[in-house]
Amino acid sequence: MAETFSALHIGTRDDRSEALLSDSLRVNQETEEIGGAALAQMQRQREQLAGAQELAQDTHQVTRQAKQTLKAIAWKILREKLTLVLVILCLLVIDGALAYRLASHKGKL
């Protein structure tokens, strides 16, 4: 009877060991699947980040070019304003000279 109990006890232990091994293999398989899915998601995120970085660099380049263009336009406007001021000053000097000549020569140029 002791032999039967011992054999039964060993059989139960083997069953538990087999169940634990099977459960460990299942958990290992699930972990590998989860890890694979996480790795795939991280790869997609890496590609998205690389795309976002490239887009940011392109945007930075466009912004730099736009800033240079705006600066060139601002200088052009400033030069045009200075030219207009000089033309107005010249016309004022000419008007002043003509007014002086009219006043000093009694209406004759």
Side-chain angles (χ1 to χ4, degrees):
M1 183 161 173
E3 290 177 15
T4 307
F5 179 73
S6 179
L8 184 60
H9 184 65
I10 290 173
T12 305
R13 190 180 322 168
D14 286 345
D15 290 344
R16 277 190 286 154
S17 294
E18 192 173 317
L20 283 173
L21 182 59
S22 176
D23 192 40
S24 294
L25 289 172
R26 181 185 54 77
V27 168
N28 186 42
Q29 181 65 31
E30 289 175 2
T31 303
E32 284 184 15
E33 289 173 6
I34 290 170
L39 187 61
Q41 183 179 11
M42 289 170 64
Q43 181 63 33
R44 286 191 303 272
Q45 289 175 348
R46 181 179 183 203
E47 291 169 2
Q48 287 175 342
L49 287 172
Q53 181 182 15
E54 185 177 328
L55 181 61
Q57 289 172 345
D58 291 347
T59 302
H60 183 67
Q61 180 66 25
V62 168
T63 303
R64 191 177 319 128
Q65 289 173 348
K67 189 176 181 180
Q68 290 173 346
T69 302
L70 288 173
K71 195 179 283 188
I73 290 171
W75 278 109
K76 184 177 179 182
I77 289 171
L78 180 63
R79 283 191 308 269
E80 288 175 358
K81 283 184 179 183
L82 288 175
T83 302
L84 288 174
V85 166
L86 287 173
V87 167
I88 290 170
L89 287 175
C90 288
L91 290 174
L92 284 174
V93 169
I94 292 170
D95 283 348
L98 288 174
Y100 174 76
R101 183 152 175 111
L102 283 173
S104 65
H105 290 87
K106 299 180 183 174
K108 294 180 185 178
L109 290 176

